[in-house]
């Protein structure tokens, strides 16, 4: 089957996109988070506020507390995405583990970590994903776990494939895992993506490049850790996560 | 010790089989007499509804306690599937994906001690989530006094009929919602 995609609205080539990204990055200042308006990521154009955010420095703010999760929300099997169907999923079996802390380095204990991803072919189990790569009947691609008392999380899954998207001509996302994290406060909420080391698509991906500071981008890339690999079973990656934002305990210590 | 935070990335278009859960919008215990509904539309900068936004709400219990409770995503021990809340416990946490027409609705209890629900917005196209508040009463507080008068209305839910509040979110453009920075 030959695959012919409909033409893209502005038909920008990868080279033109890379140049546009470089130009935008040159005018930025090393912020940790991506700017909400990042023109090379076309979907951001109409979906970010143009007014400045209003600062809230109120120690009574409800957002300094946050939702709680526990035993009833997660089962021990949820952390293993390769055990959700009758058979083994296709792909390279991996484990991903790390610590979740706040900005002060304190562990985020007993909090919810959610992970979702494409399968080994780069296809999501979502009906709107029409990438002509096979679905895997043995892989859904969603897991969750609670951090332990040291803030550690751990997942067993398969390495996802890269996939195309319609941001510009020949746009491909590097392989990534989507993560959702809760801290002790709603202000520490984080949704992000973890990447795999050495991916040649990094330089061509406006989503990763929206983090304009190279050192900040590097914090989205896991490290291969041979000590975490299990003989004749799986490859191990380590990725630590630091949640931004104040919490009620932080305000108490500041006063 | 001061660590550098992990950067945010967009939730993307394909979280729908992973993050929303049955009963995510049913924060109030079943049949509770004080139930309120907060609903509205999410719009983009062209005034078009956003069909793939994910909202989360967080609030104190009616007695003012802010500890929340586990059990938003209770599991079926046989299948492992999420069966949702037990219909009794108030967890304070809601998660709602917008419909194809950009609409959301959350059924909850009035927050204790404050006049607002905390609202968090995720969407494809949004590289870093946005915080806002849905005020159920126009009670002066630190935030409402800090917001320029002409934008204050974007934080106020409108009581359409007793117990039903309309709160639209405009990501950009005329009537853009006030979004918050907690530093
Ligand atoms: Fe993705």
């Amino acid at each position: 089957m030959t695959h012919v995609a409909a033409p893209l609205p502005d038909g920008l080539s990868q080279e033109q996109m890379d140049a546009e990204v470089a130009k935008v990055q040159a005018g930025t200042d090393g912020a940790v988070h991506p700017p909400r308006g990042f023109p090379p990521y076309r979907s951001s154009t109409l979906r970010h506020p143009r007014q400045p955010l209003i600062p809230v420095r109120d120690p009574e703010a409800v957002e300094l507390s946050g939702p709680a999760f526990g035993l009833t929300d997660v089962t021990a099997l949820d952390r293993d995405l390769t055990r959700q169907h009758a058979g083994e999923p296709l792909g390279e079996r991996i484990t991903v583990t790390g610590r979740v802390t706040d900005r002060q380095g304190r562990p985020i204990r007993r909090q919810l970590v959610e992970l979702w991803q494409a399968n080994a072919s780069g296809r999501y189990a979502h009906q709107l994903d029409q990438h002509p790569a096979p679905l895997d009947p043995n892989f859904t691609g969603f897991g969750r776990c609670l951090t332990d008392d040291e803030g550690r999380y751990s997942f067993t899954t398969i390495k996802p494939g890269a996939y195309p998207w319609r941001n510009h001509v020949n746009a491909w996302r590097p392989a990534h895992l989507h993560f959702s994290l809760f801290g002790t406060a709603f202000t520490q909420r984080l949704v992000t993506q973890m990447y795999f080391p050495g991916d040649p698509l990094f330089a061509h991906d406006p989503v990763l490049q929206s983090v304009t500071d190279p050192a900040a981008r590097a914090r989205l890339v896991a490290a291969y850790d041979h000590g975490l690999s299990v003989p004749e079973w799986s490859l191990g990656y380590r990725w630590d996560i630091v949640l931004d934002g104040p919490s009620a305990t932080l305000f108490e210590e500041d006063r | 010790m001061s660590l550098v935070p992990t950067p945010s990335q967009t939730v993307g278009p394909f979280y729908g089989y992973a993050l929303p859960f049955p009963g995510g919008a049913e924060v109030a215990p079943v049949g509770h007499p004080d139930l309120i509904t907060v609903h509205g539309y999410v719009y983009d900068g062209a005034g078009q509804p956003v069909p793939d936004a994910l909202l989360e709400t967080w609030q104190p219990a009616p007695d003012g306690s802010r500890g929340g409770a586990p059990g938003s995503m209770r599991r079926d021990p046989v299948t492992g599937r999420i069966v949702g809340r037990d219909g009794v416990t108030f967890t304070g946490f809601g998660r709602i994906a917008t419909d194809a027409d950009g609409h959301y609705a959350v059924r909850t209890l009035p927050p204790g001690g404050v006049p607002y629900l905390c609202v968090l917005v995720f969407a494809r196209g949004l590289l870093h989530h946005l915080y806002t508040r849905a005020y159920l009463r126009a009670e002066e507080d630190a935030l409402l006094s800090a917001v320029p008068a002409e934008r204050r209305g974007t934080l106020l839910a409108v009581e359409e009929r007793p117990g039903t509040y309309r709160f639209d979110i405009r990501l950009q453009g005329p009537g853009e919602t006030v979004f918050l920075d907690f530093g």
Side-chain angles (χ1 to χ4, degrees):
Chain A
M1 180 182 110
T2 34
H3 180 69
V4 183
L8 294 170
D10 59 6
L12 220 60
S13 70
Q14 184 70 57
E15 290 68 29
Q16 289 168 309
M17 176 52 66
D18 293 348
E20 187 181 324
V21 166
K23 202 169 154 192
V24 175
Q25 286 183 342
T28 55
D29 58 354
V32 165
H33 295 291
R36 288 183 174 86
F38 187 70
Y41 176 35
R42 294 294 189 244
S43 307
S44 75
T45 309
L46 291 171
R47 292 187 164 194
H48 71 278
R50 295 194 187 279
Q51 302 286 336
L53 304 189
I54 303 289
V56 180
R57 303 288 182 263
D58 172 10
E60 301 302 316
V62 173
E63 292 87 348
L64 299 176
S65 60
F69 300 92
L71 274 186
T72 51
D73 297 296
V74 178
T75 76
L77 297 172
D78 292 344
R79 69 181 60 228
D80 190 342
L81 286 76
T82 69
R83 287 282 170 273
Q84 296 173 350
H85 299 274
E88 288 276 346
L90 295 169
E92 196 177 285
R93 190 183 295 105
I94 61 172
T95 57
V96 180
T97 186
R99 276 185 90 219
V100 187
T101 59
D102 66 12
R103 294 186 300 210
Q104 279 63 46
R106 296 173 299 197
I108 302 292
R109 299 189 168 99
R110 303 283 158 198
Q111 256 305 0
L112 183 69
V113 183
E114 297 164 288
L115 175 161
W116 73 104
Q117 62 170 103
N119 69 23
S121 307
R123 177 96 180 258
Y124 285 91
H126 189 297
Q127 66 168 356
L128 296 181
D129 185 358
Q130 289 298 310
H131 173 35
L135 285 167
D136 183 344
N138 291 316
F139 192 72
T140 302
F142 172 46
R144 66 181 86 65
C145 70
L146 293 177
T147 55
D148 70 11
D149 286 339
E150 274 77 54
R152 283 184 304 240
Y153 71 90
S154 168
F155 289 102
T156 298
T157 184
I158 52 95
K159 188 175 176 185
Y163 59 83
W165 61 309
R166 295 174 53 75
N167 189 68
H168 54 277
V169 175
N170 212 10
W172 290 81
R173 296 295 329 278
H176 58 275
L177 306 178
H178 293 266
F179 271 77
S180 156
L181 297 117
F182 290 81
T184 56
F186 210 43
T187 53
Q188 294 174 315
R189 193 80 178 82
L190 177 68
V191 164
T192 188
Q193 301 180 25
M194 186 209 94
Y195 299 85
F196 292 86
D199 194 318
L201 291 170
F202 286 167
H204 303 307
D205 179 30
V207 175
L208 175 59
Q209 297 296 327
S210 72
V211 180
T212 56
D213 174 37
R217 275 201 300 281
R219 286 194 294 276
L220 292 176
V221 182
Y224 172 69
D225 185 335
H226 200 63
L228 290 174
S229 293
V230 179
E232 290 159 68
W233 184 248
S234 62
L235 294 170
Y237 290 88
R238 183 178 301 282
W239 188 50
D240 293 332
I241 299 161
V242 179
L243 301 186
D244 204 352
S247 63
T249 48
L250 188 64
F251 269 90
E252 279 153 26
E253 283 166 22
D254 280 354
R255 279 183 283 178
Chain B
M1 176 158 52
S2 187
L3 299 177
V4 187
T6 303
S8 169
Q9 293 269 267
T10 179
V11 76
F14 298 136
Y15 60 81
Y17 65 92
L19 299 184
F21 58 90
E26 314 301 327
V27 183
V30 174
H32 198 290
D34 300 335
L35 181 140
I36 59 170
T37 299
V38 180
H39 78 112
Y41 291 83
V42 181
Y43 296 108
D44 72 12
Q48 294 300 307
V50 176
D52 51 3
L54 183 74
L55 305 186
E56 289 183 350
T57 63
W58 166 244
Q59 62 171 100
D63 68 2
S65 61
R66 297 179 178 189
S72 299
M73 306 180 187
R74 277 182 331 118
R75 316 305 302 288
D76 179 331
V78 177
T79 63
R81 290 208 181 88
I82 295 181
V83 292
R85 308 167 196 274
D86 64 8
V88 178
T89 309
F90 183 82
T91 72
F93 174 64
R95 180 183 275 173
I96 317 100
T98 52
D99 291 330
D101 58 356
H103 185 255
Y104 77 95
V106 56
R107 283 161 288 273
T108 187
L109 297 179
V114 293
Y116 58 87
L117 306 184
C118 311
V119 179
L120 189 43
V121 185
F122 300 97
R124 173 181 65 86
L126 199 51
L127 286 159
H128 192 180
H129 55 251
L130 290 166
Y131 291 97
T132 187
R133 287 178 179 173
Y135 279 81
L136 308 179
R137 300 187 300 278
E139 199 174 272
E140 276 303 288
D141 74 352
L143 174 62
L144 284 188
S145 342
V147 172
E150 68 277 12
R151 298 194 66 203
R152 204 169 289 152
T154 71
L155 295 172
L156 304 178
V158 175
E159 191 165 16
E160 295 179 318
R161 56 177 188 272
T164 299
Y165 298 83
R166 172 81 178 258
F167 183 71
D168 291 344
I169 296 170
R170 289 182 168 76
L171 295 176
Q172 191 186 85
E176 185 177 298
T177 298
V178 166
F179 296 105
L180 311 178
D181 170 22
F182 290 92

